[in-house]
Amino acid sequence: MPLGISPMTIWYPRRPAAQSCIVGCSTMVPMPFTLAEPAAFPLVERILFAALAIASGSLFWRRFGPIFHRILQSKKDADFRLAPVGRRVWDFVSEVLFQSKVIRQRPLPGIAHAFVFWGFCAFALVTLNHCAVGLGIGFLSPEGFFGRFYFCFAAVFALTCAIGILGLFIRRFLVRPRWLGAKLSWESGFIAFLIFFLMATYLAAFFVPAGSTAITVLWWLHTLTLLVFLPIIPHTKHLHLVLSPATVFLSRGSFSRIPPLAGDEDFGLVAGTDLTRLVSLQAYSCVECGRCTEHCPAANTGKTLNPKEIILGLRSYLNEFGPASSEPLLGKHNPPVAPFQCTTCGSCEFQCPVGIEHLPILVGLRRGAVNTGAWDDDHGAKLFLSLERGSNTLGMQAGERDKFIQKQQFPIFDGTQEYCLWLGCMGGYDPKGREIVADFARVMRYLGTTFGVLRKEKCTGDPVRRLGNDLLFQQLAEANLEALAQNKVKKIVTICPHCVRTIQEDWKEYGTPPEVEHHSEFMARHLSRLPRPSQQDSIVYHDPCYLGRYRNVYAEPRTVVSHSGQLLEAERHAERSFCCGAGGGLAFLGEETGERVSHVRAKELVATGAKTIGTACPFCNSMFRDALASSTDTAPQLLDIAQLTARALPQQDTSSAS
Amino acid sequence: MKIVVAIKQVPERDAPVRIDAAGRWIEEADLQWALNESDAYALEEALQLKELHGGEVVVLSAGPERVGSTIREALAKGADRAIHIDCEDLGQRDALGVARLLATAIQPEDPDLVLTGLQSDDLGYGQTGVILAELLNLPHASLILHVEKSDTGITVKRELEEGWFQNIDLPLPAALTIQSGGAKLRYATLMGIKRAKTKEVRRIAAAELSAPPEAAVVLDRIALPQKQKITQVLSGSAQEAAAALVEKLKFEVHAL
Ligand code: SF4
Ligand code: SF4
């Protein structure tokens, strides 16, 4: 039997023996039904059963074996560590056994799925016994206490499982949510039918008289269903039954983890030979649920990119070319434009119930195209060239930043101040970004917190990191790390969640970055010492992807917003927040195809009726600024949380840092 | 086609330039360096010609040790090999002096085409390429935006004033100085850098090529440009004023 890697491998239902009472002994209350089990099978039937079981098992392996091999033949993940095992076990228990993610993100179908899954788990023992009975070596007796108990226990699960699968069937074939795709999958229907039939045949055995022909017929129906089900698994999305527990257990472990390139010949995901075991395992684990697509800003605004198709594209690639092929990954099965339409918002990876990590894959495909020079894009090349030659993504002279620092009288960081205030490209060069930094500096000054800015700062490399330009990213990260070390910076605070993420996580590949926090975290900590504005407007808060999903910071900016007004939530918020469209370097790649992501999101924020839109990222702010400017109706005010907070400060700051 | 591209390393565009104590040159200590902009276009033109017609691209650069990084960048973008003329006193040589160094290094290569940028971003003489062509005794053209191979040699597109262009046929071998903006520059890639490691960089000491000649032009004093603010009031109707403004933005400040 294909025990595979999963604990829930052999499941299915049924079957007990004749007795009119269960639970406890015969002196107990008789049950209103029987628990029928066929008597010993004649030898022919036993042989027939054994032959069929072997046939089913080998057919399963004939189909599953090649997949298993393709995964194992893939390149090893150079950075893979099993430790910390505790976290892995915890994820496994929570996401697999308790189905937490499945349920939390889609409650109704999630619970239906959980019922089916738990049903399968409960059936593992029953099924084993069921097969054993066929060979005359059944070990669970309905007469024994445990046997009786277990058969009834499993019956409860069989019932909920049958209801669950019915619910899922109705959803897929009658309700038909858009993200499941327009095409109806006959195999899904057939499998649902098989599962339902397994449960039905198990439960029916409770209602037929012991020793009747009916019980033998039921046994055989149940068994045959089982033996048909098994070989179907590998070639359908039900492969996730076998693989996904492993996928969840073996995941990279942190959100959007971009693995370091291994060796001189690794340029990212270029061809089959670059697919690692984790990537291949994930490609085969996809259950085609479409949660990734449902939440993807690109897929929802008419772009070519569809994260589910990216994963399935890799699977088709592996099926056709295999992991030893030098055929480009971007080509036949995945359109080359698709990865470059990704905002790296992370919704797909966050949502995926089987632990597929889309971002390392999407960024990996970009790396493959950019590191080898295959990606040819005017805007992209312009961005890269301006960072090869200059210091910032906006292509401005560094002197412009100096002027801004002088005008604001920001002290230069000299090691005596508590914080290094990191301006970032937006804070140093963009007019609105500068307003935000200036207001945040007012807040720090009001609180008496000492800070200084670096004399020279380069882009953290966030856009080039996400676009897959490893050469440029390394240069930027190293130059910045060196400047920070020279200046003995211990703590950084910044208004840009992209800077926070890149400094804290991505720079680690090239050194030890200082501690870094986002201004929302800083302000939330000091709120009690900050004045509240007299008039309390309604403010809708937009979660930046890089603060929310990437950093798990949802509460802090909300407390800051609540301090300045009445907090409203957009329909999609917190971990389900919808991207502003700027991430992943897209802010620099020019006009989008289809609808603009920023317009969709801005509309959603405006629809809350809030007087003000509160942002916590200068990129979101800039995207919404443009989106609101092009809408005709009277747009709400657009302010960063630093500006919301600074509004309430006395006009003339009484205290001043350094 | 064998193409030699002469490139120069200059201070990075954003570099905070300071005048040194003697007032004759800039302080080089804290500077970051980059490939001269029009040289980047010369290199791009050479690489595109090679991609179309095959052949070899050799980059040539004179300067101290640090020039190595710019040479590697050129190799990473696709040049096949490089010649580095080790020369500590580049700043003291005038255009003729530098052109002599380059010409001596180029001669044994016997290339079909010699490309240089139109002028350097630091000194901005705009002469080295042209003098080099004379020293090599090659037909030459300046301000070139695009080069195409023809049956008899090459056809080049030359920039004139006010959006006018001139197409000229030249025989090969020839030397051209390339204007910025004619082609799309490629970005440096990780793969390029890795491949560049194995490419040949031949170093020649400047002294082997030519003795430092008596400079015909000597830098006497350099100064940072004066900042000035000018306010102009444009008269006339709103329409006329707007038209005048567009004119000024286009041709005086080059902001449009
Ligand atoms: S990261 Fe966001 S934009 Fe990119 S594929 Fe996933 S959901 Fe779509
Ligand atoms: S990648 Fe994950 S979320 Fe997307 S369809 Fe596959 S299983 Fe579902």
Side-chain angles (χ1 to χ4, degrees):
Chain A
M1 290 307 303
L3 276 175
I5 314 146
S6 127
M8 58 180 191
T9 338
I10 337 190
W11 351 270
Y12 33 94
R14 132 56 8 176
R15 102 41 52 83
Q19 225 66 23
S20 57
C21 118
I22 43 169
V23 184
C25 63
S26 55
T27 57
M28 292 183 72
V29 191
M31 302 300 280
F33 46 78
T34 58
L35 198 51
E37 185 173 60
F41 284 99
L43 187 63
V44 209
E45 277 186 53
R46 284 190 207 183
I47 294 175
L48 184 64
F49 168 67
L52 287 175
I54 290 170
S56 165
S58 20
L59 189 56
F60 170 85
W61 185 254
R62 267 234 334 248
R63 294 173 155 198
F64 181 68
I67 293 173
F68 193 61
H69 272 113
R70 269 174 239 142
I71 295 172
L72 283 187
Q73 269 168 18
S74 301
K75 191 170 97 172
K76 276 199 179 143
D77 291 84
D79 63 322
F80 183 79
R81 304 274 170 285
L82 202 59
V85 179
R87 198 228 355 112
R88 292 186 183 280
V89 172
W90 169 250
D91 284 353
F92 186 86
V93 169
S94 149
E95 285 176 28
V96 178
L97 298 187
F98 288 109
Q99 299 269 289
S100 59
K101 211 170 187 180
V102 180
I103 298 175
R104 200 180 331 115
Q105 297 301 332
R106 268 188 192 171
L108 265 186
I111 287 185
H113 180 273
F115 279 150
V116 176
F117 168 71
W118 292 327
F120 280 16
C121 294
F123 261 75
L125 197 61
V126 173
T127 299
L128 213 59
N129 179 63
H130 183 87
C131 297
V133 166
L135 298 172
I137 47 170
F139 52 86
L140 270 187
S141 157
E143 278 150 60
F145 172 75
F146 180 73
R148 279 183 216 187
F149 159 75
Y150 201 84
F151 284 129
C152 286
F153 172 79
V156 175
F157 277 96
L159 201 62
T160 52
C161 175
I163 296 171
I165 199 72
L166 204 63
L168 291 175
F169 181 86
I170 292 173
R171 172 168 173 275
R172 183 170 282 265
F173 289 90
L174 302 176
V175 182
R176 298 180 60 182
R178 188 167 39 88
W179 43 85
L180 290 182
K183 216 175 84 222
L184 281 181
S185 139
W186 69 268
E187 37 170 74
S188 294
F190 184 59
I191 296 238
F193 167 76
L194 289 184
I195 295 174
F196 186 80
F197 199 65
L198 281 175
M199 300 303 141
T201 46
Y202 175 72
L203 291 171
F206 284 84
F207 300 100
V208 296
S212 60
T213 339
I215 195 68
T216 315
V217 171
L218 277 179
W219 188 94
W220 269 110
L221 283 177
H222 188 88
T223 307
L224 289 175
T225 317
L226 210 66
L227 297 181
V228 169
F229 186 45
L230 186 62
I232 294 183
I233 291 175
H235 280 186
T236 63
K237 64 197 171 65
H238 297 84
L239 185 56
H240 83 283
L241 302 174
V242 185
L243 294 182
S244 70
T247 317
V248 170
F249 186 77
L250 297 172
S251 72
R252 290 189 171 81
S254 55
F255 189 72
S256 184
R257 188 182 143 68
I258 301 173
L261 296 175
D264 273 355
E265 285 305 311
D266 188 357
F267 300 110
L269 302 179
V270 181
T273 43
D274 299 306
L275 294 174
T276 66
R277 288 180 178 177
L278 279 184
V279 174
S280 298
L281 173 65
Q282 295 182 2
Y284 278 113
S285 304
C286 174
V287 60
E288 299 171 44
C289 67
R291 291 179 191 221
C292 49
T293 307
E294 179 192 350
H295 292 266
C296 173
N300 281 289
T301 54
K303 316 286 191 280
T304 313
L305 169 64
N306 177 339
K308 166 173 147 182
E309 297 303 332
I310 292 278
I311 305 302
L312 295 180
L314 290 182
R315 182 192 291 183
S316 308
Y317 179 98
L318 282 166
N319 284 338
E320 182 173 345
F321 302 110
S325 168
S326 55
E327 176 77 18
L329 292 169
L330 290 178
K332 182 165 174 198
H333 294 291
N334 272 315
V337 290
F340 289 93
Q341 293 174 331
C342 171
T343 69
T344 65
C345 76
S347 286
C348 47
E349 182 165 326
F350 191 92
Q351 287 287 336
C352 182
V354 296
I356 292 173
E357 293 157 313
H358 301 69
L359 287 158
I361 292 176
L362 286 159
V363 172
L365 290 167
R366 289 172 165 201
R367 288 171 125 177
V370 171
N371 285 334
T372 58
W375 187 53
D376 183 17
D377 178 276
D378 288 357
H379 289 97
K382 194 169 155 225
L383 173 71
F384 294 161
L385 289 165
S386 63
L387 285 172
E388 275 173 28
R389 297 167 167 274
S391 57
N392 61 87
T393 44
L394 306 188
M396 309 232 311
Q397 300 275 344
E400 296 296 319
R401 181 177 174 274
D402 302 340
K403 281 188 212 152
F404 169 63
I405 292 173
Q406 269 161 21
K407 185 156 166 246
Q408 293 296 330
Q409 299 179 349
F410 288 156
I412 296 295
F413 188 87
D414 57 15
T416 60
Q417 299 100 333
E418 184 178 357
Y419 281 97
C420 166
L421 174 62
W422 183 269
L423 300 185
C425 297
M426 293 300 271
Y429 298 93
D430 176 72
K432 186 66 194 272
R434 287 176 173 176
E435 281 173 26
I436 299 171
V437 165
D439 273 341
F440 178 57
R442 276 182 65 204
V443 173
M444 290 179 95
R445 285 180 161 144
Y446 176 84
L447 291 168
T449 308
T450 56
F451 69 91
V453 297
L454 290 187
R455 209 178 280 285
K456 277 201 287 182
E457 208 185 81
K458 282 187 174 248
C459 169
T460 58
D462 167 67
V464 296
R465 169 69 154 175
R466 316 293 154 206
L467 281 170
N469 189 328
D470 284 279
L471 175 64
L472 205 45
F473 176 66
Q474 176 171 4
Q475 286 166 358
L476 293 168
E478 283 175 348
N480 281 320
L481 278 164
E482 195 188 310
L484 288 166
Q486 266 171 10
N487 286 289
K488 305 206 168 47
V489 173
K490 299 268 159 13
K491 278 201 284 192
I492 293 178
V493 62
T494 176
I495 59 158
C496 178
H498 293 262
C499 293
V500 173
R501 161 75 191 195
T502 309
I503 292 173
Q504 180 156 61
E505 293 298 328
D506 299 271
W507 284 5
K508 274 191 202 151
E509 222 179 297
Y510 302 105
T512 315
E515 217 178 282
V516 51
E517 71 174 341
H518 186 243
H519 71 323
S520 64
E521 298 165 274
F522 175 89
M523 289 192 294
R525 236 186 3 256
H526 295 100
L527 266 192
S528 58
R529 291 167 50 216
L530 288 164
R532 276 170 179 271
S534 47
Q535 117 234 38
Q536 297 266 312
D537 281 348
S538 55
I539 307 166
V540 57
Y541 171 67
H542 164 80
D543 290 270
C545 306
Y546 277 66
L547 192 61
R549 283 183 290 267
Y550 276 73
R551 195 172 165 80
N552 233 336
V553 171
Y554 299 108
E556 288 86 342
R558 284 185 166 74
T559 57
V560 176
V561 168
S562 303
H563 193 75
S564 323
Q566 179 212 344
L567 172 71
L568 296 184
E569 295 288 5
E571 197 185 320
R572 292 182 272 193
H573 61 271
E575 72 272 21
R576 310 186 123 211
S577 177
F578 194 70
C579 183
C580 73
L586 293 206
F588 307 99
L589 293 194
E591 203 52 60
E592 310 171 26
T593 54
E595 206 177 352
R596 286 209 198 162
V597 176
S598 60
H599 288 205
V600 174
R601 181 55 172 172
K603 235 181 259 160
E604 211 170 291
L605 296 170
V606 172
T608 60
K611 284 233 172 76
T612 305
I613 295 176
T615 60
C617 167
F619 284 102
C620 300
N621 197 299
S622 133
M623 296 307 276
F624 295 149
R625 192 183 349 150
D626 294 346
L628 293 174
S630 67
S631 74
T632 44
D633 17 322
T634 44
Q637 243 193 324
L638 176 65
L639 293 172
D640 185 89
I641 50 169
Q643 298 176 291
L644 288 171
T645 309
R647 278 202 299 197
L649 297 180
Q651 274 310 313
Q652 296 290 312
D653 291 339
T654 41
S655 59
S656 153
S658 60
Chain B
M1 210 189 304
K2 181 171 182 181
I3 308 172
V4 171
V5 189
I7 59 174
K8 183 176 186 184
Q9 188 185 52
V10 294
E12 205 175 55
R13 197 183 59 194
D14 270 355
V17 175
R18 276 183 292 273
I19 312 279
D20 73 3
R24 294 233 176 96
W25 195 233
I26 51 174
E27 274 188 42
E28 293 195 350
D30 266 343
L31 286 183
Q32 274 159 327
W33 303 85
L35 173 60
N36 182 44
E37 192 179 20
S38 56
D39 294 351
Y41 285 92
L43 175 65
E44 182 62 43
E45 206 56 47
L47 294 174
Q48 292 190 8
L49 282 170
K50 184 186 115 173
E51 276 159 10
L52 282 175
H53 308 291
E56 190 187 20
V57 174
V58 183
V59 291
L60 167 67
S61 190
E65 182 81 34
R66 61 171 156 79
V67 171
S69 66
T70 297
I71 288 181
R72 267 193 304 284
E73 187 187 323
L75 291 174
K77 293 202 175 174
D80 298 287
R81 60 189 170 86
I83 303 169
H84 178 177
I85 303 173
D86 257 317
C87 172
E88 293 293 334
D89 59 349
L90 201 69
Q92 272 92 64
R93 295 180 190 241
D94 59 5
L96 175 63
V98 175
R100 282 216 174 102
L101 274 183
L102 299 178
T104 328
I106 290 174
Q107 248 144 15
E109 292 288 338
D110 193 23
D112 299 304
L113 194 59
V114 175
L115 302 182
T116 70
L118 177 71
Q119 61 184 24
S120 57
D121 296 344
D122 53 359
L123 286 168
Y125 290 152
Q127 297 175 19
T128 314
V130 192
I131 299 176
L132 174 65
E134 283 298 320
L135 292 175
L136 291 169
N137 201 17
L138 292 176
H140 58 86
S142 57
L143 279 160
I144 303 305
L145 283 168
H146 184 58
V147 186
E148 245 169 65
K149 201 169 178 301
S150 66
D151 296 338
T152 51
I154 47 174
T155 305
V156 298
K157 179 178 173 190
R158 182 163 188 266
E159 187 180 62
L160 301 179
E161 304 269 291
E162 307 230 327
W164 285 84
F165 302 98
Q166 185 181 29
N167 288 308
I168 317 171
D169 288 322
L170 273 90
L172 286 179
L176 307 170
T177 69
I178 305 289
Q179 167 71 308
S180 296
K184 256 177 21 189
L185 295 182
R186 64 195 66 200
Y187 54 91
T189 66
L190 188 66
M191 189 189 236
I193 287 285
K194 297 249 156 102
R195 300 274 185 274
K197 278 188 193 157
T198 57
K199 291 179 178 171
E200 176 199 310
V201 180
R202 192 154 57 88
R203 294 181 68 151
I204 316 175
E208 284 175 37
L209 296 173
S210 73
E214 196 60 21
V217 178
V218 184
L219 270 184
D220 184 45
R221 197 175 66 87
I222 59 169
L224 292 173
Q226 290 283 315
K227 270 188 200 157
Q228 41 177 325
K229 277 188 184 158
I230 309 171
T231 310
Q232 273 184 29
V233 181
L234 301 174
S235 53
S237 70
Q239 218 165 8
E240 284 161 12
L245 178 63
V246 169
E247 189 77 0
K248 283 184 185 297
L249 287 176
K250 254 192 198 153
F251 296 107
E252 283 179 30
V253 234
H254 302 291
L256 291 181

